């Protein structure tokens, strides 16, 4: 065991100020669906993944693996596979009600940003530590999602635009990223600079107020 050492010893008013400043910065985060091809240094992606690796996880199993795609060939293959799944979704599998929810966000089956953005990060969840492990990793999706939250936050603080995409079904990602069958694709995170003509849908600017997302007892 190691003694707990506070990171920063601050009076309460400074803690509140730090929290408020962070909240204000994160309020500028929005999903981007129009990226430029301007390069992003690998060091930023590496740092963001390292930050993701500090997330809490069930039984501290750290059941995540991040495959970072930047080569044109890999991104083209990814786009082809994702758009095939998306066409099936928009063709009826997704249901008219779900598609109606996405209509105002400008989401379609076409995903050109998967080729244009400099980076696409595929987050995998490791169902078990290895093939011989009898016990599954607990709280897999929750653990990987927490890590992805830190990844997104780090990329935003680095001044990059991001987009989360969940492809279902997504087992083709195992083949594309050469990941073992015991890993489950959880989500894609597109990262890069926004295109000069990138916009934010009006509906995406709406945030639920604090009294709608919190209760106090």
């Amino acid at each position: 065991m190691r003694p707990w050492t506070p990171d920063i010893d601050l009076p309460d008013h400074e803690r509140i100020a730090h929290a408020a400043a962070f909240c204000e910065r994160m309020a500028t985060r929005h999903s981007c669906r129009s990226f430029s091809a301007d390069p992003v240094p690998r060091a930023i992606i590496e740092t963001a993944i390292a930050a993701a690796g500090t997330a809490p996880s069930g039984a501290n199993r750290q059941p995540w693996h991040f495959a970072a795609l930047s080569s044109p060939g890999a991104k083209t293959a990814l786009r082809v596979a994702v758009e095939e799944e998306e066409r099936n979704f928009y063709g009826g599998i997704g249901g008219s009600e779900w598609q109606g929810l996405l209509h105002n966000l400008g989401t379609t089956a076409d995903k050109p940003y998967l080729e244009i953005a400099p980076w696409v990060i595929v987050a995998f969840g490791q169902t078990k530590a290895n093939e011989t492990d009898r016990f599954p990793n607990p709280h897999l999706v929750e653990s990987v999602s927490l890590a992805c939250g830190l990844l997104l936050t780090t990329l935003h603080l680095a001044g990059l635009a991001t987009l989360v995409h969940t492809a279902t079904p997504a087992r083709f990602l195992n083949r594309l990223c050469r990941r073992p069958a015991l890993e489950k694709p959880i989500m894609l995170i597109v990262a890069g600079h926004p295109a000069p003509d990138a916009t934010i849908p009006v509906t995406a600017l709406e945030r639920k107020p604090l009294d709608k997302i919190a209760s106090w007892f």
Side-chain angles (χ1 to χ4, degrees):
M1 294 292 182
R2 189 181 70 179
W4 177 273
T5 303
D7 293 328
I8 306 175
D9 188 12
L10 296 174
D12 283 347
H13 73 276
E14 288 192 34
R15 295 182 190 278
I16 294 170
H18 277 281
F22 178 77
C23 182
E24 184 176 353
R25 179 70 183 276
M26 293 308 299
T28 64
R29 190 213 61 79
H30 293 282
S31 295
C32 179
R33 291 180 173 80
S34 183
F35 288 83
S36 79
D38 293 344
V40 168
R42 173 172 166 167
I44 297 177
I45 306 303
E46 289 179 348
T47 301
I49 293 175
T54 69
S57 61
N60 195 34
R61 298 298 288 267
Q62 303 172 49
W64 40 66
H65 182 92
F66 298 94
L69 282 60
S70 63
S71 72
K75 291 189 297 179
T76 296
L78 175 65
R79 179 184 178 183
V80 170
V82 167
E83 287 187 343
E84 180 179 356
E85 298 293 347
E86 290 291 287
R87 281 192 291 272
N88 291 332
F89 175 83
Y90 284 94
I93 294 177
S96 58
E97 291 185 5
W98 175 243
Q99 292 181 45
L101 293 175
L102 298 176
H103 177 72
N104 291 332
L105 296 176
T107 303
T108 69
D110 296 324
K111 312 294 182 186
Y113 48 76
L114 293 175
E115 284 187 284
I116 297 172
W119 293 95
V120 181
I121 305 166
V122 185
F124 289 90
Q126 299 168 341
T127 57
K128 296 191 298 183
N130 53 61
E131 294 287 356
T132 61
D133 195 345
R134 293 188 303 150
F135 302 101
N137 286 327
H139 310 299
L140 176 66
V141 174
E142 294 88 343
S143 298
V144 177
S145 296
L146 285 167
C148 287
L150 290 180
L151 178 69
L152 287 165
T153 300
T154 306
L155 293 172
H156 179 68
L157 294 179
L160 295 180
T162 56
L163 175 68
V164 174
H165 174 78
T166 51
T168 305
R171 278 297 180 179
F172 65 86
L173 292 170
N174 290 71
R175 297 189 298 272
L176 179 64
C177 300
R178 302 174 187 174
R179 301 309 303 164
L182 60 81
E183 293 186 1
K184 174 185 177 181
I186 304 295
M187 68 182 73
L188 308 176
I189 295 174
V190 186
H193 300 286
D197 59 350
T199 59
I200 302 171
V202 173
T203 53
L205 295 172
E206 300 173 359
R207 306 279 193 183
K208 290 183 178 180
L210 183 62
D211 63 353
K212 297 295 185 182
I213 64 174
S215 298
W216 311 92
F217 300 94

